[in-house]
Amino acid sequence: VIVEARAVGRVLGGLTAPLNGFSLSQKRSCMVDMLGKQIASPLLSITDDPLLHGGWASQRFDGEGLTTRRRPIIQAGVLKGFYIDTYYGKKLKKTPTGASSSNLVFSTGKRDLDALCAAAGRAILITRFIGGNSNSTTGDFSHGLFGFLIEKGKRTTPLASMNIAGNHLSFWKGLVELGNDPYPYSSNLTPSLRFKPMMVAGK
């Protein structure tokens, strides 16, 4: 499975949603005990960078007036940080980090989307997710998708009304390559991603 850069944000939301102070405080987060543990492939690093020049979500101060700073969220697949405001910082006895994400900068690879498709040989290229849901408590997710069948490294048959499901605590560990094409029109600078074989349902 390959996810095009501009479509990654949909599944990324399911990964970051359990990292907020409310979910952690209410024990409604699958990440509650995962700080410092491996939750993704060692290839994946995500940095929250509110000071990124020209970033769509750059800011010197957050909504509570706290000074923002660049910090790792995931480093080599290991969870490094949460999103905690002052209220939940007191409840959880943790240092506030800010209530929400700013610019999420991904590690990148060396090849573009066409090269990822060529490397996969036969695959499904997801160009857009539709509908579906993600459960922050369990990490389970299910999304409809549009895309193309990749055969011999080339796009062939258009695909629609298919479905992909899994759990975020295992899904991101299946990442085998990142593209060199971070999507520039969002605060999520997500490159195209190639995953190991997984089940995708539909016709």
Side-chain angles (χ1 to χ4, degrees), residues 17-28 62 64 66 82-100:
L19 303 181
N20 70 81
F22 171 78
S23 296
L24 295 168
S25 175
Q26 299 295 316
K27 305 297 184 183
R28 295 179 180 177
D62 70 5
E64 295 184 307
L66 297 176
F82 294 124
Y83 290 102
I84 300 174
D85 62 14
T86 53
Y87 175 76
Y88 285 107
K90 291 178 181 178
K91 290 197 69 172
L92 296 167
K93 297 181 180 179
K94 294 182 180 294
T95 302
T97 60
S100 60

Side-chain angles (χ1 to χ4, degrees), residues 45-68:
S45 292
I46 303 175
T47 300
D48 190 301
D49 189 356
L51 307 178
L52 181 67
H53 180 70
W56 285 54
S58 294
Q59 53 186 3
R60 291 286 180 180
F61 304 94
D62 70 5
E64 295 184 307
L66 297 176
T67 301
T68 59

Side-chain angles (χ1 to χ4, degrees), residues 23 70 129:
S23 296
R70 186 175 184 270
F129 289 101

Side-chain angles (χ1 to χ4, degrees), residues 5-7 181-191:
R6 62 181 176 176
D181 56 347
Y183 188 60
Y185 304 113
S186 170
S187 59
N188 299 325
L189 280 71
T190 54

